[in-house]
Amino acid sequence: MSEVIDFPTPRERAGVSMEEDMQYLLDCLMGALVGLKHSENVSDEDREADMEVLMPLVVKYFQISGDRYPVEEEQ
């Protein structure tokens, strides 16, 4: 039983690729960063604490995205 069968996820069966999902995730994370930076309802202390949590996630997922879905340069 060393063979692992990789079944498509429901989203993949619906035609949504994992690359698209990664792009949506990155868009959401970047939107959260922009919203947090420009929010007037968050104290500076809370903003810094939230940025300390959010920035490593953004960096991590950008690295994962670059590793799994490299962008081909158009000429």
Side-chain angles (χ1 to χ4, degrees), residues 18-19 21-23 25-26 29 56-71:
M18 293 299 287
E19 182 177 6
D21 282 345
M22 180 64 78
Q23 290 303 317
L25 173 64
L26 291 173
L29 287 171
L57 287 174
V58 172
V59 170
K60 176 182 177 179
Y61 283 108
F62 265 110
Q63 288 173 341
I64 290 171
S65 177
D67 292 344
R68 291 187 184 174
Y69 312 107
V71 177

Side-chain angles (χ1 to χ4, degrees), residues 8-68:
T9 66
R11 292 185 56 76
E12 288 173 324
R13 285 193 300 254
V16 179
S17 70
M18 293 299 287
E19 182 177 6
E20 285 178 279
D21 282 345
M22 180 64 78
Q23 290 303 317
Y24 291 136
L25 173 64
L26 291 173
D27 288 345
C28 290
L29 287 171
M30 291 302 293
L33 280 175
V34 169
L36 183 61
K37 180 165 177 60
H38 296 290
S39 176
E40 297 176 359
N41 298 327
V42 178
S43 70
D44 288 339
E45 184 178 292
D46 289 341
R47 180 177 292 117
E48 287 179 27
D50 290 343
M51 291 292 264
E52 285 181 25
V53 172
L54 196 54
M55 279 305 294
L57 287 174
V58 172
V59 170
K60 176 182 177 179
Y61 283 108
F62 265 110
Q63 288 173 341
I64 290 171
S65 177
D67 292 344
R68 291 187 184 174

